[in-house]
Amino acid sequence: MYTPELINKKRNGKELSQAEIEFLVNGFVSGEVPDYQMAAFLMATCFTGMSKDECVTFTMAMANSGEMADLSPIKGFKVDKHSSGGVGDTTSLVLAPLVASAGAVVAKMTGRELGHTGGTVDKLESIPGINLELGKDDFIRIANQVGVSLVAQSASLAPADKKLYALRNVTATVESIPLIAASIMSKKLAGGADGIVLDVKTGSGAFMQKYEDSLELAKTMVDIGEGAGRKMVALISSMEQPLGLAIGNALEVKEAIDTLKGEGPQDLLELVLELGGNMVLLAGVAKSLDQAKDRLKACIANGAGLKKFAQFIKAHGGDPEVVRNISILPRAKAVQELAVPRSGYVHAMNAMELGMASKLLGAGRFIKDDRPDLSVGIELKCKVGDRVDKGQPLAVLHTDGDTERIGQAREKVLGAFSITVEPADPPRLLMARVTSKGVEELA
Ligand code: URA
Ligand code: CA
């Protein structure tokens, strides 16, 4: 096979065979297909797309490029959750222990930050002593003992995705439905869970900004997962503004603890119950979605979710005291309050800009080897739809005291808000639920 011919075929919108796709993916991983040819193929795919068969073959070739985790030593139905990437998206931190406390087994591979979005591994690492870089045996042992274990994605899991993602990141080929679907699903299939609940984000802070594209992405991923014998649900949720009030690593751990105590922000709780309810339902622990959600609410009210979080932290070598005493989390050197510039209603809040502002404060990486400052970030004091008065707090910056960074972040945060005299409605959070049976619009 000649790589230029395959690129040409894709450029002309023709369908590639299984053998041709496997040749490209395997050749890229082994180094026989160089970056420039793969980049050309990826760009052609951005323009002409892929057929369903091609996308499935592409995903399976990526999943099979490394180790396929065998979770059969973990008892019960294993359920995983994955988000397509959001800002201040604290859900996984709350969901993993909460769903486990409701009786489902959560065995989840999880990632670090990507672009303007944060990562669960980084967030959890603000808990003193915790270790998510586990070997397979420890991962399985903890999942069996505690009912929940999270492990940082290892280099041996879907290495084709790792290499492709790095190339897409710098060749403007991230925003493509088949490429995102294959990237996410290759990792999820290799991760080995029996059931997968996806949170597909849509809006200004998401990789897919248009609802129709997010819906297409959700349908594609559900098809791929079901085709591979996994039980799938995808929810489409709005990322027009950050989720909850905290953006930043330790700040989000605190927000997760508040939410497990029943004192968290309303939108975070709503998404947690919807995603978690679907996880519990897939696991067969409840008979209906309403029953599953009621069970999760009970686990918040009676403290079972918080207790499970402490057990999980302890099993991973961290200090479980954090659930009672958040002052053991890293604390920022300096805090600075931003005031509301004029009275009115919060009309919009650009999630991507706020995600970038948090990175500017040091919460993220700009080159691969940067070490994020786990203490810094942004605490929002209002949400879209709120009435605000001039001089009242808009947001609090948690900083390392570096005045240049603070100045840049301030500008970005202020620029992210649009405040109008006319009242504004809060955006709808939950848009749709997609399964193999079809699309259900959520009110
Ligand atoms: N998340 C992923 O893992 N891959 C993508 O391509 C986009 C979001
Ligand atoms: Ca948050």
Side-chain angles (χ1 to χ4, degrees), residues 220-235:
T220 305
M221 293 196 286
V222 166
D223 278 352
I224 294 171
E226 292 277 344
R230 313 297 168 92
K231 284 204 204 170
M232 301 291 303
V233 175
L235 295 178

Side-chain angles (χ1 to χ4, degrees), residues 87-90 243-247 252 255 268:
V87 176
D89 182 2
T90 315
L243 195 64
L245 295 166
I247 310 167
E252 289 189 51
E255 185 173 61
L268 175 57

Side-chain angles (χ1 to χ4, degrees), residues 82-85 114 161 165 168 174 179-181 183-184 187 207:
H82 190 86
S83 146
S84 68
L114 186 64
D161 176 62
Y165 197 89
R168 289 168 59 213
V174 174
L179 296 183
I180 296 177
S183 166
I184 291 177
K187 286 177 281 204
F207 288 113

Side-chain angles (χ1 to χ4, degrees), residues 39 42-44 46 164 167-176 179:
L42 293 171
M43 188 55 88
C46 282
L164 278 168
L167 186 61
R168 289 168 59 213
N169 207 17
V170 291
T171 55
T173 52
V174 174
E175 283 100 338
S176 150
L179 296 183

